[in-house]
Amino acid sequence: MKHELVIVLDFGGQYNQLIARRVRENNVYCEVMPWDTELEKIKEINPKAIIFTGGPSVVTEADAPVVQKELFDLGIPVLGICYGSQLMGYVLGGKVAKADQREYGKTSINVSLNNPLFKDVDATTSCWMSHTYFISEPPSGFEIIGTTETCPVAAMAHQEKKLYGVQFHPEVMHTPQGNIMLKNFLYDIAGCKGDWIMSDFAEESIKALKEKLGGKKVLCALSGGVDSSVAAVLIHKAIGKDLTCIFVDHGLLRKDEGDEVEQIFTKEFDMNLIRVNCEDRFLEKLAGVTDPETKRKIIGEEFIRVFEIEAKKIGTVDFLVQGTIYPDVIESGTKNAAVIKSHHNVGGLPDYVDFKEIVEPLRDLFKDEVRNVGRVLGIPEFLVARQPFPGPGLAIRVIGDITKEKLDMLREADYIYREEIVKAGLDKEIGQYFAVLTNLRSVGVMGDERTYSYTVALRGVATTDFMTADWARIPHDVLAHISNRIVNEVHGVNRIVYDITSKPPATIEWE
Ligand code: XMP
């Protein structure tokens, strides 16, 4: 089935994929393409509309990324955002100038209500600005349809040619009516009908993957997390048993998790899955290790060694599957961010496996889009909606040195905690919640006996991005019930505490 297609031309801004996602949310299929995509190619694709992203360049400078003027004569509606708007203005003969000061943040904007871009938008609304340069004079034929206190051409339009430019970012949440504007552009200006849904993505990806991978040997490291699971099922639907999944069970998973993963992928999906049980190997390497970063390093290395051994048995493969999703692409692109905690599951594998090419079927999707693909593919809800779980697993939730006994204790406590949160109907509100086995033992009394047992800490955070988080306000009676259950049911634990620190200054995990 051929869909309407909108292309986003990428000029290096930080919101490129977000724009594409917003378009897809409006049921119009959208892809991001490089800014220097040839005019001929664009003609051939003949998209319903083109959106130019923002970007860090200055359009008047010699090496700035630009487009040919002819692009604006194709009759394809164009929406330029931020740099994209300046580019449109400049190429078509308007003037771009440097502002006295960088304009950054939420800004009030007055818009012209008789322009179709602003249908159903308030005459004065808020928008998100982030720029130093702006259009000081629009090209001829354009009218100014939005102004802010400091930005004379915050929005401009050539209604007849369907060319639109906005200095602000309609795609971000801080422009509350931005989606109405995008929708107006897509539907009323570009004439889209909205013929795309997520099940089409799944169906089309399967078709494309079948063409690309059919008859080839493909290997996937399956962790049971959302991303690798969805990627694996998608590819399995395309090529069946030509896909081999290796599931390294390092013994650091939550209660029953290893069996669940095996059950779902072998029984429900009939996939070619090799489960490698190597708890002993990991525990041996981790014995006596207390430093969190050393734990991560050991686990990361061991994981690669185990995977390598299994992959060698299979021999050279044509493709290696990676469950990379869009936020990973951005994260690994930010080289300046200080390493607070090293995340072992990013990178690593490719160097150690004999393969010809990497395939990343979810590379352009955001987490919630990936979950939706998973639902379309029939992956059970508990797996698709799963909260994040760190690659090093419970090793970084047993504080200090790790033993099998401690892991088992933690598994039980964590299971009870999670079960009660679901029962209380709080699982959707709390972004991540888990138990930690502290390395602290304290005195207690049970019956007539003195005990000297471990303290379990419960962590629960409300967050959307996991970069910052607030501690979750779990009702006291729910906490009381969880506490009672854990001390009664988990041998070796006699005290429960609840972590009431936000991030920052604390992190979500304890190690
Ligand atoms: P922190 O503790 O840094 O956690 O606030 C932020 C998010 O990242 C997860 N996390 C990890 N994930 N390997 C992972 O794959 C790791 O080593 C790791 N450390 C933390 C954490 O669970 C939270 O969702």
Side-chain angles (χ1 to χ4, degrees), residues 108 148 156 165 233 243 249 306 328 358 378 392 420 439 446 478 501:
S108 174
T148 72
M156 64 175 189
V233 172
L243 169 70
D249 185 346
V306 174
D328 305 332
I358 286 186
E420 291 300 332
N439 208 10
M446 209 171 238
V478 177
T501 19

Side-chain angles (χ1 to χ4, degrees), residues 86-107:
Q86 295 164 19
L87 171 70
M88 177 187 287
Y90 184 70
V91 171
L92 294 176
K95 288 210 175 92
V96 170
K98 188 171 183 184
D100 294 338
Q101 266 178 10
R102 177 163 183 241
E103 188 181 18
Y104 182 82
K106 219 169 181 173
T107 310

Side-chain angles (χ1 to χ4, degrees), residues 369-389:
E369 293 184 302
V370 173
R371 292 191 208 273
N372 284 336
V373 174
R375 290 185 178 104
V376 168
L377 294 173
I379 301 176
E381 186 62 24
F382 81 87
L383 211 163
V384 161
R386 182 167 272 187
Q387 52 170 315
F389 184 67

